[in-house]
Amino acid sequence: GSLELLSRLRAVVAGDSASLLLPQLINGHFVESRADQHLSVTNPATNGEIARVPLSPLSELDEALDHAEQAFQRWRNTPVPTRARLMLSYQHLLKQHHDELAEIISHELGKTFEDAKGDVWRGIEVVEHAANIPSLLMGETVENVATGIDSYSVTQSLGVCLGITPFNFPAMIPLWMFPLSIACGNAFVLKPSEQVPLTTLRLAELFMEAGAPEGILTVVQGGRDQVNHLLAHEIPRTVSFVGSVPVGQHIYRTATDNLKRAQCFAGAKNHMVIMPDAPADQVVNALVGASVGAAGQRCMAISVAVFVGDSKALIERVRDALAEVRPGAWDDKGASYGPLISPQALERVTGWIQQGEQEGAELLLDGRGVSVAGYPDGNWLGPCLFSKVTPEMVLYREEIFGPVLCCMEAADLSEAIELINNNPYGNGTSIFTRSGGAARRFQNEIAVGQVGINVPIPVPLPFFSFTGWRGSFFGDLHAYGKQAVRFYTETKTVTARWFDDAPAEGNQPNFSIQ
Ligand code: NAD
C-alpha cells in the first residue's frame, strides 16, 4: 500500500528510522493534518515512540464532515448489490493482509501475535455479515391494508455516521462500525483511539483499495476536543462509541442532547459463576484464559470468579495455573499476553492492587515487578489473584482492566445471581455447571446482556448483536447483527393506492376506507 505502514513501522521498531507522522483520510486521500499539536503513539513493550498522531484543528474536522456529507449524497442510491460486492472485495483483502494487520496491532498495542490475529478475524466476520446487506435491508409489505391499498416499508440510509473507538481492539471495533454503516448507504467518519491509530489507517487504506468511493470513509485524528467538536456538529446523524464508562456517559448525553442517535458501549465487570458440579479442568482453563488473556484488557474479560459452595476448593488450582502464565513480547510464543497499554494504566492497576490488600483482600498471586527479558521498560504485570474480595472493596467496584482475577464466594446460586444483578454493569457473564436446571435459571434471572453457559467469554458472532446491558451500554440498538442495521437506517412506510387505467367505477371517491 502507499502508506507502507508496516514496513515503515518495522524500521522504527528496529531503530532505523524516526517515528511516523500519521495522516488523516479525507475525501479519499491520505493527507497530512495542519495540526501544530501531536501526541506520541508508543509501543507498550518498550514505551518507545513509534508514531505521532495529530490533534486535528477543528476547522479541518468541519471540512472532513462536509466532504463526508457530499460523499453520502453520491453513495446513498448506489445499488445495494454493489455495496455488498464492496464488502466482499474488502473481506478478501482483509484476509490477504490478515497477518500484516495483526503485526501492526502487536506493535502499537503489544498484543501477542495470536491474540492480534483474533482481533483481526473477529472484525473480518463483521465484514462478512455486512456482505449480506441485501437481505438485511429487506422491508415488510402488506397487501390490501384497505380496499386497493398496499403498505410497505423501505429501509433508507441516514447520512453521515460517527464512530469513536477505544484502544483495546484496534481492528475489531472499527470494523463493528463502518462496514455495516456504509453497506446501509451511509458515509462514515471514524475517530480512532489516539493510542492505537495505525491499525485503523491500514484498515482504511485496504477499504479504499477494495474500491470504496472517495469520501464514504473518513478517518480524523485527535482526542477529547476533536470528539466534542464532532458531537456538536450538525452533520453527523448517529454516534457509535466504544470505551470507558465516564466517557461513554458523557458521549451519550452530549450526542442525544444534540438530537443525534447514539449507541455507547462502555466498561464492565464480568462474573463467572462456578457451581460445585462444574468440571474442574474446564473451570481452571476457562478462568485463566478469560481473566488474564489480552492482559485483562477486554471488555468481556472475566474479572470476578464467584465460587458457589464447595467449588471454592478450586481457587488453589486456579492460583497454580495462573502462576504458570507469563506476559511477554508479541512474537514470544511462550507468552500468554502482552503489556498494559501505558505506564499510567500500569500505575492505576498496581494502585488498586495495593488498595485491595489494604482493604483486606488476600493476594494469592502477585504479578507486580515481573520482568521480561529484553524489554526492561515495558508496562508488564504478571497474573494477580485475589481471594476474599467483598462488594465494598475498590477491587470489586472498579473495572481493573488488567490481569487481575478476584475470587468471591456465594452460598448458593441465588446468592451468586443477587451479587451479579446488584453490580452496576451488565456486559457479560458465565456459569459453569453440569446442571441444565441451574444454567436455565441463571440464563433467565441474570440481568446481564451476554450469557455464557460453560463458555467463559460469550461474545456473540456478527449475525447476532453485541448486547451489553445496564451500566455497560447506553442506547437501544446494539452493535452488528440486525440491530446495527436498524441503528444505521431509517424506516419509511409507504401507503399506496393505484388507479386502474381502465375507465371504471373504481375511480369513484371511496369514503369507506377511513
Ligand atoms: P476511553 O473512554 O478512554 O477512550 C475511548 C475513546 O474516547 C477514544 O477514542 C478517546 O479519544 C475518546 N475520549 C476519551 N476521553 C474523552 C472525552 N472526555 N470526551 C470525548 N472523547 C473522549 O477508553 P479506552 O481506555 O480507549 O478503552 C478501554 C475501555 O473501553 C474499557 O473501559 C473497556 O471496558 C471499554 N470497552 C468496552 C467495550 C464494549 O463493547 N462494551 C469494548 C471494548 C472496550
Side-chain angles (χ1 to χ4, degrees):
S2 57
L3 293 179
E4 293 176 347
L5 278 180
L6 182 58
S7 54
R8 291 170 61 212
L9 193 51
R10 280 178 175 162
V12 176
V13 171
D16 295 340
S17 158
S19 68
L20 310 177
L21 177 60
L22 299 179
Q24 307 189 97
L25 174 61
I26 296 175
N27 201 24
H29 304 284
F30 287 96
V31 288
E32 198 176 303
S33 169
R34 299 190 297 267
D36 47 24
Q37 282 182 296
H38 296 79
L39 294 177
S40 259
V41 181
T42 54
N43 174 350
T46 60
N47 282 313
E49 181 180 276
I50 53 176
R52 279 172 306 131
V53 64
L55 295 174
S56 176
L58 304 183
S59 60
E60 218 165 75
L61 300 176
D62 296 341
E63 290 159 24
L65 286 169
D66 284 340
H67 284 300
E69 176 65 28
Q70 288 160 24
F72 161 68
Q73 296 299 345
R74 297 189 294 269
W75 176 244
R76 61 184 286 267
N77 283 324
T78 309
V80 179
T82 305
R83 301 184 218 156
R85 274 180 216 116
L86 172 61
M87 297 303 149
L88 290 172
S89 308
Y90 191 39
Q91 186 263 11
H92 181 72
L93 275 177
L94 288 173
K95 277 173 69 180
Q96 247 178 353
H97 294 274
H98 179 276
D99 286 7
E100 178 198 333
L101 284 158
E103 192 178 330
I104 295 173
I105 293 174
S106 291
H107 289 305
E108 66 178 344
L109 172 53
K111 271 190 189 182
T112 64
F113 191 48
E114 283 310 308
D115 197 25
K117 285 196 282 190
D119 189 336
V120 179
W121 184 249
R122 296 312 296 254
I124 291 176
E125 289 177 324
V126 185
V127 177
E128 290 171 352
H129 175 65
N132 293 315
I133 196 64
S135 330
L136 289 166
L137 284 179
M138 283 170 76
E140 298 171 319
T141 306
V142 173
E143 191 182 40
N144 288 325
V145 293
T147 307
I149 298 187
D150 302 332
S151 269
Y152 49 91
S153 66
V154 291
T155 310
Q156 294 197 334
S157 51
L158 285 161
V160 175
C161 301
L162 206 59
I164 299 146
T165 53
F167 78 80
N168 68 328
F169 281 96
M172 178 183 83
I173 291 179
L175 291 172
W176 279 8
M177 299 179 181
F178 74 82
L180 269 163
S181 169
I182 289 171
C184 287
N186 302 300
F188 202 89
V189 175
L190 186 59
K191 203 297 288 173
S193 165
E194 62 275 37
Q195 294 179 287
V196 296
L198 284 112
T199 308
T200 293
L201 285 172
R202 186 61 182 135
L203 288 175
E205 196 179 24
L206 290 169
F207 193 54
M208 299 307 294
E209 198 180 322
E214 286 179 358
I216 59 164
L217 177 64
T218 299
V219 179
V220 292
Q221 310 283 12
R224 184 186 60 200
D225 294 346
Q226 285 68 25
V227 171
N228 288 330
H229 187 73
L230 293 167
L231 291 177
H233 200 286
E234 63 181 0
I235 285 183
R237 297 286 309 277
T238 69
V239 181
S240 301
F241 166 86
V242 180
S244 62
V245 172
V247 180
Q249 290 175 342
H250 161 71
I251 289 192
Y252 189 71
R253 289 195 180 107
T254 312
T256 52
D257 206 39
N258 287 314
L259 305 178
K260 300 182 193 307
R261 191 180 288 185
Q263 50 172 200
C264 297
F265 300 83
K269 198 80 184 170
N270 305 309
H271 303 66
M272 177 166 140
V273 175
I274 300 104
M275 297 299 286
D277 66 351
D281 291 346
Q282 300 274 359
V283 167
V284 173
N285 284 340
L287 270 179
V288 170
S291 61
V292 303
Q297 299 179 120
R298 289 176 177 144
C299 67
M300 289 287 278
I302 294 292
S303 50
V304 183
V306 186
F307 291 89
V308 173
D310 294 340
S311 73
K312 59 177 172 283
L314 285 177
I315 295 177
E316 227 169 278
R317 284 195 52 191
V318 174
R319 185 199 55 206
D320 295 346
L322 279 174
E324 297 294 311
V325 166
R326 62 172 178 84
W330 71 281
D331 53 355
D332 171 355
K333 293 208 167 53
S336 298
Y337 62 88
L340 294 181
I341 183 69
S342 63
Q344 293 82 347
L346 178 61
E347 200 178 313
R348 202 169 52 233
V349 176
T350 51
W352 281 322
I353 293 171
Q354 200 179 348
Q355 204 175 333
E357 281 188 289
Q358 285 161 1
E359 289 179 339
E362 200 173 318
L363 183 56
L364 300 178
L365 188 67
D366 186 355
R368 287 173 295 183
V370 74
S371 60
V372 171
Y375 296 88
D377 299 322
N379 313 313
W380 307 110
L381 182 60
C384 300
L385 182 69
F386 277 101
S387 68
K388 307 216 170 4
V389 175
T390 60
E392 308 74 46
M393 291 179 183
V394 69
L395 282 174
Y396 185 72
R397 287 185 281 114
E398 295 289 343
E399 179 187 38
I400 307 276
F401 229 53
V404 181
L405 178 62
C406 293
C407 299
M408 299 174 81
E409 290 167 31
D412 53 24
L413 180 57
S414 301
E415 218 179 278
I417 290 174
E418 196 185 322
L419 173 77
I420 299 171
N421 288 353
N422 280 329
N423 187 282
Y425 304 115
N427 217 30
T429 188
S430 64
I431 184 169
F432 272 63
T433 181
R434 284 195 168 92
S435 158
R440 173 62 174 70
R441 197 179 140 212
F442 186 75
Q443 167 199 305
N444 178 257
E445 292 180 15
I446 208 73
V448 174
Q450 307 181 93
V451 179
I453 296 174
N454 297 313
V455 171
I457 301 191
V459 177
L461 267 87
F463 26 92
F464 289 91
S465 296
F466 189 95
T467 53
W469 278 20
R470 298 189 287 138
S472 297
F473 177 70
F474 310 106
D476 167 15
L477 297 166
H478 291 85
Y480 59 78
K482 291 179 186 152
Q483 294 195 21
V485 175
R486 296 268 318 280
F487 181 80
Y488 290 124
T489 57
E490 200 77 272
T491 304
K492 184 179 279 178
T493 313
V494 181
T495 303
R497 172 164 61 167
W498 288 93
F499 302 111
D500 201 329
D501 283 345
E505 321 76 66
N507 284 347
Q508 301 301 318
N510 179 356
F511 298 105
S512 67
I513 60 168
Q514 307 302 323

